[in-house]
Amino acid sequence: MTGRSEAVAAREPFDLPPLSLANRVGDLGGGDDQYLRYLEIGGRLRQAVIRTLPADWSFDGRRVLDFGAGAGRMLRHFGAEAEVAEFWGCDLDGPSVEWMKRHLEPPFVIFANDEEPPLAVDPGFFDLVVAVSVFTHLTTTWSSWLAELHRVLRPDGLLLATFMGKGMSMWVAGEPWDDRWV
């Protein structure tokens, strides 16, 4: 890290992942501002989740899953909520999962998932599942994963899932859609 990245890292409650893992969930554009961009996107995603939840939602005593957490880009921003709720993160990328286990656990609970269901949790385990742009990448297993996320949600649980596309680019990534992404 150099200059600005070191200053950003010094203010963070959690370690920052290697850039190879940070860039795995979205190109950060290179340069000295990559970590700043990584943190800004994660913070924006957290804010979008909070805005989308019902007005009477409370994290107290809840269990939340960040499905497809990568290296914790969004998950890391729920540190305060993890004091009153259980926050879990999973991903299928081994290096990302191992990094999160070493640097984000606790307060978060981290586990690996396979390319296909099931998740290693009981039915109705989670109150909220968030899947940011995961379904963008599932061409053949999307329906089995939707059914699996339904299985692991409580009967009154919520699933917040985004599908990255032209209409979601500004809202999710904070940048205009680029046709080169498809």
XYZ file of all heavy atoms in Angstrom, residues 54-128:
595
model
N -37.716 -3.122 5.514
C -38.940 -2.465 5.997
C -38.629 -1.456 7.101
O -37.660 -1.620 7.860
C -39.765 -3.636 6.556
C -39.225 -4.849 5.876
C -37.766 -4.580 5.617
N -39.439 -0.446 7.204
C -39.209 0.631 8.179
C -39.140 0.114 9.615
O -38.424 0.670 10.435
C -40.304 1.692 8.045
N -39.860 -0.957 9.914
C -39.872 -1.489 11.280
C -38.822 -2.579 11.509
O -38.804 -3.216 12.550
C -41.264 -2.010 11.636
C -41.702 -3.168 10.754
O -41.065 -3.425 9.700
O -42.695 -3.840 11.109
N -37.919 -2.787 10.560
C -36.893 -3.825 10.679
C -35.921 -3.480 11.797
O -35.516 -2.330 11.947
C -36.120 -3.967 9.370
C -35.003 -4.962 9.464
C -33.702 -4.692 9.780
C -35.074 -6.365 9.280
N -32.958 -5.844 9.790
C -33.780 -6.892 9.484
C -36.103 -7.244 8.947
C -33.493 -8.252 9.367
C -35.817 -8.593 8.831
C -34.530 -9.079 9.043
N -35.538 -4.492 12.556
C -34.507 -4.353 13.577
C -33.555 -5.532 13.434
O -33.996 -6.668 13.199
C -35.129 -4.359 14.971
O -34.112 -4.480 15.955
N -32.262 -5.279 13.582
C -31.273 -6.353 13.523
C -31.180 -7.128 14.841
O -30.593 -8.198 14.878
C -29.898 -5.795 13.157
C -29.760 -5.454 11.707
C -29.846 -4.132 11.294
C -29.555 -6.434 10.755
C -29.724 -3.815 9.946
C -29.438 -6.135 9.412
C -29.524 -4.812 9.005
N -31.771 -6.603 15.906
C -31.661 -7.230 17.223
C -32.078 -8.695 17.180
O -33.206 -9.023 16.803
C -32.524 -6.491 18.250
C -31.988 -5.125 18.596
O -30.824 -4.830 18.257
O -32.727 -4.339 19.212
N -31.142 -9.569 17.565
C -31.411 -10.991 17.654
C -31.601 -11.714 16.337
O -32.005 -12.872 16.322
N -31.306 -11.060 15.227
C -31.521 -11.662 13.901
C -30.267 -12.383 13.424
O -29.165 -12.147 13.911
C -31.887 -10.593 12.868
C -33.071 -9.738 13.207
C -34.384 -10.443 12.950
N -35.482 -9.505 13.150
C -36.496 -9.389 12.324
N -36.586 -10.129 11.253
N -37.445 -8.528 12.585
N -30.476 -13.237 12.413
C -29.373 -13.892 11.705
C -29.428 -13.449 10.253
O -30.455 -13.570 9.598
C -29.532 -15.407 11.759
C -28.608 -16.051 12.719
C -28.615 -17.565 12.526
N -28.593 -18.155 13.825
C -29.475 -19.006 14.305
N -30.463 -19.438 13.562
N -29.366 -19.470 15.522
N -28.286 -12.951 9.757
C -28.198 -12.390 8.411
C -27.101 -13.111 7.644
O -26.020 -13.355 8.180
C -27.875 -10.872 8.482
C -27.740 -10.279 7.087
C -28.928 -10.136 9.308
N -27.369 -13.427 6.379
C -26.373 -14.053 5.511
C -26.051 -13.144 4.347
O -26.949 -12.695 3.631
C -26.886 -15.390 4.964
C -26.005 -16.072 3.907
C -24.646 -16.466 4.494
C -26.707 -17.282 3.306
N -24.763 -12.887 4.142
C -24.267 -12.249 2.925
C -23.846 -13.399 2.020
O -22.772 -13.979 2.166
C -23.090 -11.325 3.245
C -22.562 -10.573 2.028
O -23.037 -10.845 0.898
O -21.660 -9.735 2.201
N -24.729 -13.766 1.094
C -24.505 -14.879 0.180
C -23.683 -14.379 -1.006
O -24.107 -13.491 -1.722
C -25.853 -15.439 -0.297
C -25.749 -16.550 -1.285
C -25.260 -17.790 -0.911
C -26.138 -16.362 -2.603
C -25.168 -18.825 -1.824
C -26.051 -17.386 -3.529
C -25.563 -18.623 -3.136
N -22.489 -14.948 -1.168
C -21.573 -14.451 -2.195
C -20.814 -13.249 -1.678
O -20.682 -12.231 -2.361
N -20.296 -13.355 -0.461
C -19.669 -12.222 0.231
C -18.328 -11.800 -0.353
O -17.818 -10.738 0.011
C -19.489 -12.562 1.718
N -17.747 -12.590 -1.245
C -16.420 -12.248 -1.766
C -15.425 -12.199 -0.622
O -15.336 -13.132 0.175
N -14.697 -11.104 -0.515
C -13.743 -10.915 0.589
C -14.317 -9.973 1.641
O -13.582 -9.339 2.380
C -12.414 -10.387 0.056
N -15.653 -9.868 1.689
C -16.301 -9.071 2.720
C -16.495 -7.613 2.376
O -16.633 -6.784 3.270
N -16.555 -7.285 1.094
C -16.682 -5.886 0.666
C -17.856 -5.181 1.345
O -17.713 -4.065 1.838
C -16.828 -5.822 -0.856
C -17.035 -4.420 -1.387
C -17.155 -4.377 -2.881
N -18.374 -5.044 -3.322
C -18.723 -5.179 -4.595
N -17.937 -4.723 -5.551
N -19.830 -5.794 -4.920
N -19.019 -5.828 1.383
C -20.174 -5.229 2.047
C -20.244 -5.665 3.511
O -20.521 -4.846 4.395
C -21.471 -5.623 1.343
C -22.712 -5.051 2.014
S -24.261 -5.570 1.256
C -24.257 -7.329 1.626
N -19.989 -6.922 3.776
C -20.125 -7.489 5.118
C -19.376 -6.677 6.166
O -19.898 -6.407 7.249
C -19.628 -8.936 5.100
C -19.831 -9.766 6.359
C -21.314 -9.930 6.664
C -19.155 -11.117 6.196
N -18.174 -6.237 5.847
C -17.328 -5.505 6.793
C -17.991 -4.237 7.316
O -17.662 -3.752 8.380
C -15.993 -5.159 6.131
C -16.130 -4.137 5.003
C -14.853 -3.831 4.224
N -13.799 -3.359 5.079
C -12.674 -4.039 5.343
N -12.445 -5.193 4.788
N -11.761 -3.532 6.154
N -18.951 -3.698 6.583
C -19.624 -2.461 6.962
C -20.774 -2.687 7.950
O -21.412 -1.722 8.365
C -20.121 -1.729 5.719
C -18.999 -1.208 4.881
N -18.364 -0.016 5.143
C -18.373 -1.751 3.798
C -17.402 0.168 4.251
N -17.394 -0.867 3.432
N -21.034 -3.930 8.317
C -22.081 -4.246 9.281
C -21.508 -4.569 10.662
O -22.139 -5.269 11.448
C -22.939 -5.409 8.766
C -23.915 -5.007 7.691
C -23.604 -5.183 6.356
C -25.140 -4.446 8.025
C -24.501 -4.818 5.363
C -26.038 -4.069 7.045
C -25.725 -4.257 5.706
N -20.345 -4.040 10.974
C -19.711 -4.296 12.266
C -20.563 -3.881 13.450
O -20.681 -4.614 14.440
N -21.188 -2.707 13.371
C -22.030 -2.238 14.485
C -23.244 -3.147 14.660
O -23.600 -3.509 15.784
C -22.467 -0.795 14.252
N -23.865 -3.527 13.563
C -25.035 -4.404 13.632
C -24.659 -5.795 14.143
O -25.471 -6.469 14.784
C -25.705 -4.512 12.257
C -26.395 -3.243 11.811
C -25.474 -2.222 11.153
O -24.256 -2.467 11.051
O -25.971 -1.168 10.744
N -23.418 -6.224 13.881
C -22.963 -7.544 14.343
C -22.834 -7.609 15.864
O -22.676 -8.694 16.420
C -21.635 -7.901 13.681
N -22.960 -6.466 16.525
C -22.958 -6.466 17.995
C -24.299 -6.930 18.556
O -24.379 -7.369 19.701
C -22.616 -5.074 18.518
C -21.192 -4.665 18.204
C -20.848 -3.266 18.686
O -21.601 -2.707 19.512
O -19.818 -2.746 18.237
N -25.372 -6.849 17.754
C -26.703 -7.248 18.219
C -27.318 -8.364 17.386
O -28.401 -8.853 17.687
C -27.672 -6.034 18.256
C -27.177 -4.977 19.236
C -27.896 -5.456 16.871
N -26.657 -8.746 16.318
C -27.162 -9.781 15.414
C -26.006 -10.682 14.989
O -24.841 -10.315 15.122
C -27.796 -9.134 14.180
N -26.362 -11.854 14.475
C -25.356 -12.738 13.890
C -25.268 -12.426 12.398
O -26.275 -12.484 11.699
C -25.749 -14.202 14.053
C -25.667 -14.730 15.445
C -26.048 -16.205 15.497
O -25.776 -16.954 14.531
O -26.632 -16.597 16.519
N -24.078 -12.110 11.941
C -23.844 -11.868 10.520
C -22.946 -12.965 9.987
O -21.859 -13.195 10.515
C -23.207 -10.495 10.291
C -24.209 -9.401 10.154
C -24.820 -8.870 11.274
C -24.564 -8.914 8.905
C -25.766 -7.870 11.164
C -25.505 -7.911 8.784
C -26.108 -7.391 9.911
N -23.420 -13.623 8.962
C -22.711 -14.723 8.328
C -22.356 -14.308 6.906
O -23.087 -13.543 6.264
C -23.594 -15.957 8.277
C -23.953 -16.537 9.607
C -24.567 -15.901 10.650
C -23.732 -17.871 10.036
N -24.739 -16.756 11.691
C -24.241 -17.981 11.345
C -23.161 -18.996 9.438
C -24.189 -19.164 12.072
C -23.126 -20.170 10.159
C -23.617 -20.252 11.461
N -21.254 -14.823 6.405
C -20.853 -14.589 5.026
C -20.368 -15.885 4.413
O -19.689 -16.668 5.083
N -20.740 -16.111 3.174
C -20.248 -17.303 2.479
C -19.883 -16.941 1.047
O -20.364 -15.957 0.485
C -21.267 -18.432 2.510
S -22.754 -18.175 1.521
N -19.009 -17.749 0.494
C -18.584 -17.580 -0.888
C -18.025 -18.913 -1.345
O -17.665 -19.761 -0.523
C -17.520 -16.485 -1.012
C -17.466 -15.905 -2.419
O -16.796 -16.503 -3.284
O -18.108 -14.866 -2.658
N -17.927 -19.089 -2.651
C -17.339 -20.327 -3.159
C -15.853 -20.180 -3.482
O -15.174 -21.174 -3.721
C -18.103 -20.851 -4.374
C -18.251 -19.963 -5.603
C -17.025 -19.993 -6.477
C -19.445 -20.431 -6.405
N -15.330 -18.971 -3.444
C -13.920 -18.735 -3.726
C -13.085 -19.019 -2.475
O -13.150 -18.268 -1.494
C -13.705 -17.295 -4.195
C -12.253 -17.030 -4.551
O -11.745 -17.674 -5.479
O -11.641 -16.195 -3.866
N -12.311 -20.099 -2.532
C -11.512 -20.520 -1.386
C -10.611 -19.446 -0.806
O -10.623 -19.225 0.413
N -9.793 -18.760 -1.620
C -8.928 -17.720 -1.059
C -9.700 -16.592 -0.367
O -9.271 -16.095 0.675
C -8.152 -17.202 -2.275
C -8.130 -18.365 -3.221
C -9.462 -19.036 -3.035
N -10.856 -16.210 -0.899
C -11.665 -15.167 -0.258
C -12.205 -15.651 1.079
O -12.170 -14.918 2.074
C -12.827 -14.755 -1.163
O -12.347 -14.118 -2.328
N -12.692 -16.879 1.119
C -13.228 -17.438 2.360
C -12.124 -17.542 3.408
O -12.317 -17.149 4.562
C -13.892 -18.810 2.106
C -14.221 -19.515 3.417
C -15.137 -18.640 1.249
N -10.966 -18.032 3.018
C -9.864 -18.156 3.976
C -9.420 -16.783 4.490
O -9.140 -16.632 5.672
C -8.683 -18.908 3.345
C -8.949 -20.383 3.155
C -9.422 -21.063 4.432
O -8.780 -20.878 5.493
O -10.444 -21.768 4.383
N -9.384 -15.795 3.598
C -9.011 -14.454 4.036
C -10.030 -13.918 5.046
O -9.667 -13.384 6.093
C -8.876 -13.493 2.847
C -8.343 -12.179 3.307
C -7.044 -11.810 3.437
C -9.120 -11.078 3.806
N -6.959 -10.543 3.982
C -8.216 -10.070 4.205
C -10.480 -10.843 3.937
C -8.636 -8.860 4.736
C -10.905 -9.633 4.476
C -9.982 -8.652 4.864
N -11.325 -14.065 4.725
C -12.357 -13.582 5.652
C -12.276 -14.297 6.994
O -12.452 -13.671 8.038
C -13.760 -13.754 5.052
C -14.102 -12.738 3.983
S -15.881 -12.739 3.566
C -16.125 -14.385 2.924
N -12.033 -15.595 6.981
C -11.938 -16.347 8.238
C -10.792 -15.805 9.109
O -10.935 -15.696 10.325
C -11.732 -17.838 7.970
C -13.005 -18.547 7.520
C -12.748 -19.993 7.251
C -13.464 -20.962 8.131
N -14.408 -20.599 9.067
N -9.691 -15.439 8.483
C -8.537 -14.921 9.238
C -8.719 -13.477 9.704
O -8.192 -13.092 10.741
C -7.260 -15.011 8.390
C -6.677 -16.398 8.283
C -5.265 -16.415 7.706
N -5.098 -15.629 6.506
C -5.335 -16.052 5.264
N -5.774 -17.270 5.059
N -5.139 -15.271 4.236
N -9.475 -12.683 8.936
C -9.496 -11.243 9.208
C -10.853 -10.666 9.626
O -10.899 -9.540 10.128
C -8.984 -10.484 7.983
C -7.578 -10.821 7.640
N -6.496 -10.216 8.241
C -7.065 -11.728 6.771
C -5.383 -10.716 7.760
N -5.698 -11.640 6.870
N -11.939 -11.398 9.418
C -13.266 -10.862 9.745
C -14.025 -11.730 10.754
O -15.137 -11.371 11.165
C -14.118 -10.706 8.478
C -13.577 -9.763 7.401
C -14.521 -9.716 6.211
C -13.322 -8.376 7.949
N -13.442 -12.855 11.118
C -14.116 -13.779 12.037
C -13.382 -13.819 13.363
O -12.207 -14.236 13.366
C -14.169 -15.173 11.409
C -15.031 -16.163 12.142
C -15.096 -17.500 11.428
O -14.044 -18.135 11.253
O -16.204 -17.898 11.052
N -13.951 -13.452 14.471
C -15.204 -12.732 14.627
C -15.056 -11.257 14.257
O -13.932 -10.825 14.068
C -15.491 -12.906 16.121
C -14.138 -13.038 16.765
C -13.264 -13.681 15.726
N -16.102 -10.507 14.175
C -17.443 -10.763 14.667
C -18.334 -11.531 13.696
O -19.436 -11.926 14.054
C -18.007 -9.362 14.891
C -17.377 -8.554 13.802
C -15.993 -9.124 13.662
N -17.885 -11.729 12.469
C -18.708 -12.402 11.470
C -18.413 -13.893 11.474
O -17.321 -14.318 11.858
C -18.437 -11.799 10.086
C -18.596 -10.306 10.058
C -17.487 -9.477 9.977
C -19.848 -9.725 10.152
C -17.623 -8.095 9.976
C -19.993 -8.346 10.150
C -18.877 -7.528 10.062
N -19.383 -14.687 11.039
C -19.219 -16.131 10.884
C -19.070 -16.393 9.392
O -19.919 -15.984 8.595
C -20.434 -16.894 11.446
C -20.246 -18.402 11.257
C -20.667 -16.541 12.903
N -17.994 -17.059 9.021
C -17.659 -17.246 7.607
C -17.656 -18.730 7.275
O -17.147 -19.539 8.049
C -16.265 -16.649 7.300
C -16.175 -15.183 7.771
C -15.910 -16.812 5.831
C -17.168 -14.240 7.148
N -18.197 -19.076 6.102
C -18.113 -20.457 5.632
C -18.080 -20.495 4.111
O -18.486 -19.547 3.442
C -19.252 -21.319 6.199
C -20.629 -20.981 5.695
C -21.223 -21.727 4.685
C -21.362 -19.946 6.248
C -22.501 -21.448 4.242
C -22.639 -19.650 5.818
C -23.217 -20.406 4.802
N -17.578 -21.609 3.603
C -17.508 -21.820 2.156
C -18.774 -22.531 1.693
O -19.334 -23.363 2.408
C -16.282 -22.655 1.799
N -19.211 -22.182 0.505
C -20.299 -22.926 -0.123
C -19.789 -23.516 -1.428
O -18.779 -23.064 -1.974
C -21.532 -22.039 -0.360
C -21.285 -20.878 -1.287
O -20.828 -19.823 -0.845
N -21.585 -21.033 -2.560
N -20.471 -24.533 -1.901
C -20.127 -25.165 -3.171
C -20.796 -24.411 -4.320
O -21.605 -23.506 -4.096
C -20.575 -26.625 -3.173
C -19.779 -27.470 -2.193
O -18.573 -27.196 -2.012
O -20.367 -28.391 -1.602
N -20.486 -24.819 -5.544
C -21.102 -24.186 -6.709
C -22.591 -24.464 -6.795
O -23.330 -23.714 -7.418
C -20.406 -24.643 -7.995
C -19.028 -24.037 -8.153
C -18.409 -24.332 -9.505
O -19.155 -24.483 -10.500
O -17.184 -24.399 -9.578
N -23.025 -25.556 -6.196
C -24.440 -25.912 -6.194
C -24.909 -26.111 -4.763
O -24.119 -26.435 -3.885
C -24.657 -27.177 -7.023
C -24.327 -26.968 -8.490
C -24.705 -28.158 -9.355
O -25.548 -28.969 -8.932
O -24.163 -28.255 -10.458
N -26.219 -25.895 -4.521
C -26.761 -26.108 -3.185
C -26.543 -27.559 -2.747
O -26.309 -28.425 -3.574
C -28.252 -25.816 -3.354
C -28.369 -25.044 -4.620
C -27.219 -25.466 -5.476
N -26.655 -27.798 -1.436
C -27.222 -26.950 -0.406
C -26.168 -26.199 0.389
O -24.970 -26.488 0.287
C -27.925 -27.964 0.505
C -27.025 -29.163 0.447
C -26.501 -29.187 -0.977
N -26.630 -25.249 1.188
C -25.801 -24.609 2.207
C -25.854 -25.481 3.456
O -26.864 -26.131 3.719
C -26.329 -23.206 2.535
C -26.281 -22.182 1.408
C -26.953 -20.876 1.845
C -24.852 -21.918 0.978
N -24.797 -25.469 4.219
C -24.697 -26.324 5.410
C -25.344 -25.661 6.627
O -24.702 -25.461 7.664
C -23.233 -26.660 5.685
N -26.606 -25.277 6.487
C -27.377 -24.717 7.601
C -28.777 -25.329 7.562
O -29.245 -25.774 6.514
C -27.457 -23.170 7.562
C -26.094 -22.537 7.731
C -28.126 -22.679 6.302
N -29.427 -25.296 8.705
C -30.770 -25.857 8.824
C -31.800 -24.998 8.097
O -31.596 -23.796 7.909
C -31.166 -25.940 10.303
C -30.343 -26.968 11.063
O -29.856 -27.938 10.434
O -30.183 -26.796 12.289
N -32.924 -25.602 7.741
C -34.022 -24.816 7.163
C -34.460 -23.713 8.130
O -34.454 -23.894 9.352
C -35.149 -25.852 6.980
C -34.440 -27.165 6.890
C -33.235 -27.035 7.795
N -34.814 -22.567 7.585
C -35.310 -21.452 8.392
C -34.273 -20.812 9.295
O -34.613 -20.156 10.271
N -33.002 -20.952 8.962
C -31.915 -20.490 9.821
C -31.745 -18.971 9.813
O -31.403 -18.382 10.816
C -30.613 -21.164 9.374
C -29.471 -21.015 10.325
C -29.423 -21.749 11.494
C -28.434 -20.146 10.041
C -28.357 -21.626 12.372
C -27.357 -20.011 10.910
C -27.325 -20.751 12.078
N -31.983 -18.318 8.669
C -31.706 -16.895 8.527
C -32.988 -16.062 8.477
O -33.996 -16.481 7.928
C -30.885 -16.623 7.257
C -29.504 -17.191 7.301
C -29.167 -18.306 6.563
C -28.531 -16.616 8.115
C -27.890 -18.839 6.612
C -27.253 -17.145 8.179
C -26.931 -18.258 7.418
N -32.878 -14.859 9.025
C -33.963 -13.883 8.949
C -33.850 -13.032 7.688
O -34.851 -12.525 7.187
C -33.917 -12.947 10.164
C -34.110 -13.702 11.460
O -35.254 -14.071 11.750
O -33.111 -13.928 12.172
N -32.626 -12.854 7.226
C -32.352 -12.017 6.060
C -31.195 -12.626 5.285
O -30.181 -13.001 5.871
C -31.979 -10.596 6.505
C -31.469 -9.614 5.456
C -32.547 -9.306 4.419
C -30.985 -8.321 6.127
